Amino acid sequence: MSRKMSMVLSIILVITLMLAACSPAKPPADPTGAAPEKKDLKLTIYAGLMEDHAIMATKEFEKQTGVKTEFVRMSSGETLARIRAEKDNMTASVWFGGPVDAYIASMEEGLLVPYKSPNAEKFPDKYKDPDGYWTGIYSGYLGFVCDKEWFEEKGYEIPTSWDDLLKPEFKGQIVTAHPGSSGTAYTMLATITQLKGEEAGFEYMQKLNGQIRQYTKSGTAPGRMVGLKEIPIGITFLHDAIKYRLEGFKDIVISAPSEGTGYEIGGVAILANGPDQEAAQMFVDWALTKEAQELGSTVGSFQFLTNPDAVPPEEAMILKDTKLIDYDFDWAGKNRKELVEKFNEITKTQPPTE
């Protein structure tokens, strides 16, 4: 080989090595098979449903998508207060579970962003906001939870109407959550004001306040307290009472008000200014699927389901004939602040912090 040709080959080799050094390194293959962009996504959820349901849902979503997911369990009032405080520096990206009255209140304050999931297209209109700010994942009915043994010992009749709760023998024997902290209790407050009218409704709430032994922070607490025989009467969502009865609290008896009761639509929504909007949309899509909704019953969440293809849990069927009022979610959401403030004023109470 001539000296000139050797020099040309050397120059070509040097140029080739320089170009290789400047080229970006190809990322190593992901051993899990997940797309790199999904593997790097993270998601924080504020959960308003039962903790065991939230644990199961976040684990299953993470398993199916590769998105690292964690949750904070709070009641609806707590969540609303948290996202109000965080509105300019939001920590979470999804609100999952709990009555949509609070979602509507937060929507009015610009705390949610709309997202119309393709998985919600076939949902009945009553289970979704027309602009996509929230979508329902389940529904549950409000009612009374009673300790059968206590009633038999006393010879009292199980209450079957809202007015029954005002009987003298029940004074100091009732526990409910506080509507300032609990979506369950706010559903009760909105139910009474819609059923009786606002003026008569608050007269009733003032009388009921005289019957209450304790206001709890969480709407699920009264049912468990009845099961533990700490109190004979609790006001809660009835599917939670079914869960407690199946967990071994055999003396729990459930009753729904004969004049009609309110109900919740538990929702899912994306929080404005949340750090993980792509992962948030993925979670909403997942939460609306038939498979995701049917998972709830595996951990004792026995609500009726919103996806038309989902099979409701058999345990919920005993509630299917409950008489419901024509509950106005939009009105309840938009008037939440005023109704809670008036409740605090007439009862001289504040939401508990523990």
Side-chain angles (χ1 to χ4, degrees):
M1 181 184 295
S2 69
R3 183 177 179 185
K4 185 175 181 180
M5 179 62 71
S6 178
M7 289 180 64
V8 170
L9 291 174
S10 297
I11 292 170
I12 291 173
L13 178 61
V14 170
I15 293 173
T16 301
L17 291 173
M18 290 176 65
L19 289 173
C22 294
S23 299
K26 188 175 182 179
D30 183 353
T32 67
E37 63 272 15
K38 289 185 180 179
K39 181 184 176 185
D40 295 337
L41 291 176
K42 297 180 181 179
L43 184 65
T44 299
I45 293 168
Y46 288 156
L49 31 63
M50 286 282 202
E51 187 161 358
D52 49 5
H53 192 168
I55 291 171
M56 178 274 300
T58 51
K59 283 185 176 179
E60 189 64 26
F61 173 71
E62 182 172 319
K63 176 182 175 182
Q64 291 187 23
T65 64
V67 176
K68 180 68 176 175
T69 308
E70 59 185 18
F71 74 92
V72 179
R73 166 69 176 90
M74 293 184 288
S75 60
S76 295
E78 289 179 289
T79 303
L80 186 53
R82 174 77 69 90
I83 63 176
R84 280 170 174 161
E86 293 181 348
K87 65 180 180 179
D88 296 322
N89 187 27
M90 198 69 76
T91 301
S93 300
V94 169
W95 190 349
F96 181 49
V100 298
D101 312 58
Y103 290 59
I104 294 169
S106 61
M107 180 183 76
E108 291 290 300
E109 298 177 34
L111 301 174
L112 303 181
V113 292
Y115 172 60
K116 291 187 176 183
S117 170
N119 291 341
E121 288 180 359
K122 58 187 173 183
F123 281 34
D125 289 343
K126 67 178 181 177
Y127 292 139
K128 56 188 177 184
D129 175 69
D131 296 316
Y133 281 94
W134 59 264
T135 310
I137 54 175
Y138 60 75
S139 66
Y141 304 161
L142 190 67
F144 313 141
V145 184
C146 301
D147 177 9
K148 178 183 177 182
E149 184 181 45
W150 185 87
F151 276 85
E152 288 178 346
E153 288 177 354
K154 297 291 185 180
Y156 297 151
E157 295 291 326
I158 298 289
T160 59
S161 73
W162 291 108
D163 288 342
D164 280 352
L165 298 181
L166 303 182
K167 289 181 177 180
E169 59 263 35
F170 297 151
K171 184 177 179 64
Q173 303 297 339
I174 302 172
V175 165
T176 183
H178 194 287
S181 62
S182 161
T184 307
Y186 181 73
T187 301
M188 177 185 69
L189 176 59
T191 293
I192 294 298
T193 52
Q194 291 182 47
L195 182 65
K196 296 177 176 290
E198 193 165 339
E199 183 177 350
F202 273 104
E203 288 177 2
Y204 173 88
M205 295 305 299
Q206 194 165 25
K207 292 176 183 177
L208 182 64
N209 179 63
Q211 303 285 87
I212 301 297
R213 181 188 298 184
Q214 179 186 349
Y215 288 106
T216 61
K217 182 172 75 169
S218 168
T220 61
R224 186 169 289 278
M225 291 173 72
V226 169
L228 292 169
K229 299 186 178 296
E230 296 174 357
I231 194 77
I233 305 172
I235 304 171
T236 190
F237 286 123
L238 296 178
H239 56 261
D240 292 334
I242 294 172
K243 172 184 174 72
Y244 294 143
R245 192 161 62 189
L246 293 175
E247 286 177 352
F249 298 120
K250 300 297 185 183
D251 282 332
I252 281 181
V253 176
I254 62 176
S255 174
S258 57
E259 63 268 56
T261 192
Y263 64 102
E264 69 166 334
I265 295 175
V268 63
I270 298 177
L271 300 173
N273 301 319
D276 308 294
Q277 296 290 304
E278 181 185 352
Q281 291 187 8
M282 291 170 60
F283 185 85
V284 171
D285 290 341
W286 176 83
L288 301 181
T289 63
K290 171 184 185 295
E291 293 74 19
Q293 291 194 4
E294 289 178 351
L295 283 172
S297 63
T298 66
V299 289
S301 290
F302 300 125
Q303 301 98 326
F304 294 100
L305 305 174
T306 57
N307 187 314
D309 297 330
V311 179
E314 183 62 33
E315 293 84 352
M317 290 300 102
I318 62 171
L319 305 176
K320 65 183 177 62
D321 295 325
T322 300
K323 183 178 179 181
L324 303 177
I325 68 168
D326 186 16
Y327 190 91
D328 188 336
F329 290 93
D330 190 60
W331 180 88
K334 291 178 178 177
N335 290 279
R336 182 185 179 96
K337 185 171 184 276
E338 292 77 11
L339 292 179
V340 170
E341 287 176 352
K342 189 167 183 179
F343 177 87
N344 293 343
E345 179 185 345
I346 68 166
T347 62
K348 304 290 192 296
T349 63
Q350 291 294 322
T353 56
E354 295 182 0

